[in-house]
Amino acid sequence: MQEYKPYKSGKVREVYDIGDSLIMVATDRISAFDHILKNKITDKGAVLTRMSAFWFNYTKDLIPNHMLSMDPADMPEFFRSEEYAGKSMKVKKLTMLPLECIVRGYITGSGWASYKESGVVCGIRLPEGLQESQKLPEAIYTPSTKADLGDHDENISYEQSVEVLEKEFPGHGAQYAKELRDKTLALYNRCADYALTRGIIIADTKFEFGLDEEGNIVLADEMLTPDSSRFWPVEGYETGHGQPSYDKQYVRDWLKANPDSDYLLPQEVIDRTVDKYKEAFRLLTGQEF
């Protein structure tokens, strides 16, 4: 059996080149505050992979995506072992675009901190008098740069996103920036509306895109998972404070409350985190994990 080594390793995902395509593996690692935690979250990778697959199928009429197969039979034998089963997705090779395409439908997190300070989020002035966790009049697109492992992503304005893309793809910066903004908002609006019918508010999320061989923009990476999004329960939602969540905000909150933890989680935090991930999966997909 041929063995494979990842040619790219991120905070929580590993990518393997199998020739004509890639295998993307969502590991059980979890990151917070730009650190990979010392614990693994059992089943996390499989939950995230299946959730991304659900959303890719749900939006494939809106924009093409990179998913080719979730079936281990379509992958080399190496990826059929227990270590990779359920966590692996066969995907197209793309030229990745150097932006994280963040969309915010509610004012929270770093957006709330920026708004309190200046009334502006990533160059966008918002109405006065908003409360924490309030739904915005319309979703806003707030891109960021992609940082290397261990570095911080940098929030940038739309105008700066044009410059970033123009530098890497001369003559296409303005076109790609507009397409990314429009596709990001269209994806968010469709999926957020659907999620509300399933009892979940998608407060914000991020997408990543690449170019195929014909130069078309294709949705890539992960999609609307608890690692890349803030999921809040509709039940009990009210403005004026932070919300309970189905995502890794629970881990972030525990780390903030325990600054001497050295990024090591107690077992009860691990158990509760994976339960939240599985509950989000069940609510959004209608399937038991």
Side-chain angles (χ1 to χ4, degrees):
M1 177 179 67
Q2 181 179 350
E3 293 193 2
Y4 291 83
K5 292 186 177 180
Y7 82 92
K8 182 179 179 184
S9 232
K11 292 173 188 153
V12 297
R13 276 181 302 284
E14 294 175 342
V15 185
Y16 298 77
D17 191 330
I18 60 168
D20 61 343
S21 54
L22 305 173
I23 302 293
M24 182 172 286
V25 178
T27 71
D28 288 340
R29 298 193 296 266
I30 189 167
S31 71
F33 304 118
D34 294 310
H35 282 78
I36 299 171
L37 276 60
K38 294 179 178 178
N39 313 81
K40 289 187 177 180
I41 308 294
T42 307
D43 289 336
K44 172 180 170 284
V47 173
L48 266 57
T49 300
R50 285 178 61 180
M51 193 174 289
S52 286
F54 169 80
W55 290 116
F56 285 145
N57 282 320
Y58 184 69
T59 58
K60 62 186 178 184
D61 64 316
L62 203 58
I63 177 174
N65 61 69
H66 72 164
M67 182 173 72
L68 293 173
S69 179
M70 285 272 295
D71 188 346
D74 295 331
M75 305 176 197
E77 185 182 352
F78 179 78
F79 299 98
R80 299 174 203 165
S81 68
E82 188 175 342
E83 181 181 356
Y84 299 102
K87 302 174 186 175
S88 304
M89 182 183 290
K90 185 178 181 181
V91 301
K92 299 172 185 174
K93 285 185 170 180
L94 302 171
T95 300
M96 294 302 293
L97 295 170
L99 293 177
E100 297 209 332
C101 297
I102 298 166
V103 55
R104 305 170 193 263
Y106 294 72
I107 186 78
T108 187
S110 62
W112 171 242
S114 177
Y115 174 78
K116 283 193 298 181
E117 185 177 315
S118 64
V120 173
V121 177
C122 297
I124 301 171
R125 181 159 295 281
L126 297 177
E128 294 181 10
L130 294 178
Q131 294 184 300
E132 185 177 5
S133 303
Q134 186 170 341
K135 185 176 183 180
L136 297 172
E138 59 182 12
I140 59 173
Y141 173 64
T142 59
S144 77
T145 58
K146 285 185 189 179
D148 293 328
L149 191 63
D151 294 331
H152 292 280
D153 299 335
E154 180 188 351
N155 292 331
I156 57 175
S157 67
Y158 176 75
E159 291 72 24
Q160 287 173 306
S161 79
V162 175
E163 295 172 8
V164 168
L165 290 163
E166 183 64 26
K167 185 176 180 181
E168 192 154 331
F169 302 97
H172 296 281
Q175 171 202 342
Y176 287 167
K178 182 180 184 302
E179 279 195 59
L180 291 180
R181 179 188 62 194
D182 293 350
K183 291 179 188 301
T184 294
L185 290 169
L187 286 166
Y188 173 79
N189 288 328
R190 175 187 285 193
C191 297
D193 287 348
Y194 165 81
L196 281 175
T197 71
R198 307 293 301 182
I200 287 183
I201 293 167
I202 302 176
D204 54 36
T205 192
K206 71 142 178 106
F207 301 113
E208 295 191 35
F209 299 87
L211 300 174
D212 65 14
E213 291 180 349
E214 287 76 44
N216 302 308
I217 291 181
V218 176
L219 180 60
D221 200 61
E222 63 181 322
M223 182 180 184
L224 287 164
T225 71
D227 266 18
S228 65
S229 319
R230 280 188 175 90
F231 293 154
W232 298 338
V234 170
E235 186 176 354
Y237 164 74
E238 60 180 15
T239 61
H241 55 80
Q243 308 296 309
S245 65
Y246 291 108
D247 51 63
K248 65 179 180 181
Q249 190 61 43
Y250 177 68
V251 170
R252 292 191 195 102
D253 291 344
W254 187 89
L255 289 170
K256 281 182 184 177
N258 296 272
D260 298 326
S261 66
D262 196 28
Y263 296 97
L264 183 67
L265 302 174
Q267 189 62 43
E268 62 265 25
V269 175
I270 295 171
D271 293 342
R272 190 165 175 197
T273 299
V274 74
D275 286 346
K276 283 174 173 287
Y277 277 45
K278 289 179 178 178
E279 176 70 0
F281 176 82
R282 183 185 67 79
L283 287 171
L284 288 168
T285 68
Q287 306 165 20
E288 293 292 338
F289 182 78

